[in-house]
């Protein structure tokens, strides 16, 4: 049986009750999402695809994630699509600055963000949800989006 967005959010929320842990998640979950995209962005693609705009492993990862989000709900899928497009724009902006490979800064952000995430769960006194089900790695960003939707009256 497929879970609804509320079922995913309720299960995820069980280990995210502490205000400090929640605050950490509001900052670090989006950074982790973006850093994963950044690391995948720089993975070389086969020569046949190199000339195709946006044909890279980040785009493939986004498509897989969006399939999950759109199965969860149309509005969650659309919101995560918008967030993904924003992240692509940020990655391209970083590339335009020529400050070095995207994957290097993405890896650094990824490591630091996960250190904070685990510290937040230490404060929470509960292990991260993805230890129970890896799909919770995708639920985290949608869980935050769900808060925004509820606050603004957008149904999901």
């Amino acid at each position: 049986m497929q879970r609804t967005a509320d079922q995913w959010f309720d299960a995820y929320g069980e280990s995210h009750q502490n205000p400090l842990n929640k605050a950490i998640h509001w900052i670090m979950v989006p950074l982790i999402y973006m850093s994963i995209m950044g690391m995948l962005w720089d993975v070389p693609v086969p020569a046949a695809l190199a000339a195709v705009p946006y044909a890279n492993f980040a785009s493939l990862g986004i498509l897989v994630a969006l399939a999950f989000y759109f199965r969860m709900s149309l509005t969650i899928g659309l919101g995560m699509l918008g967030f993904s497009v924003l992240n692509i724009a940020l990655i391209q902006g970083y590339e335009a600055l020529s400050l070095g490979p995207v994957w290097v800064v993405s890896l650094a952000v990824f490591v630091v963000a996960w250190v904070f995430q685990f510290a937040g769960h230490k404060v929470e006194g509960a292990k991260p949800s993805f230890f129970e089900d890896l799909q919770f790695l995708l639920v985290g960003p949608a869980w935050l989006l769900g808060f925004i939707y509820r606050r603004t009256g957008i149904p999901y």
Side-chain angles (χ1 to χ4, degrees):
M1 183 173 106
Q2 182 177 320
R3 293 186 194 186
T4 66
D6 281 326
Q7 288 170 326
W8 279 114
F9 297 162
D10 289 346
Y12 188 83
E14 289 175 13
S15 61
H16 299 87
Q17 299 295 312
N18 182 282
L20 178 59
N21 189 29
K22 282 184 179 180
I24 289 169
H25 277 64
W26 274 99
I27 297 165
M28 298 305 154
V29 166
L31 288 175
I32 290 169
Y33 189 89
M34 184 174 65
S35 68
I36 291 169
M37 285 179 60
M39 287 185 286
L40 291 172
W41 189 265
D42 269 358
V43 174
V45 295
L49 294 176
V52 179
Y54 304 104
N56 59 41
F57 286 98
S59 297
L60 179 61
I62 291 168
L63 290 176
V64 170
L66 287 175
F68 178 84
Y69 295 130
F70 276 105
R71 280 186 52 207
M72 186 182 281
S73 111
L74 175 63
T75 52
I76 293 290
L78 291 172
M80 291 306 298
L81 173 61
F83 183 62
S84 297
V85 169
L86 172 65
N87 280 287
I88 288 170
L90 291 171
I91 290 167
Q92 289 180 315
Y94 178 84
E95 278 185 323
L97 295 173
S98 299
L99 299 174
V102 172
W103 75 267
V104 173
V105 71
S106 296
L107 179 60
V109 168
F110 182 82
V111 169
V112 170
W114 273 110
V115 167
F116 275 94
Q117 288 284 89
F118 281 108
H121 279 284
K122 179 80 171 163
V123 169
E124 180 82 43
K127 64 184 177 179
S129 302
F130 74 86
F131 284 141
E132 293 175 28
D133 185 340
L134 287 176
Q135 293 178 91
F136 280 114
L137 290 170
L138 291 171
V139 173
W143 181 70
L144 297 174
L145 186 61
F147 273 106
I148 295 169
Y149 282 2
R150 285 189 297 280
R151 175 84 54 159
T152 58
I154 297 171
Y156 60 83

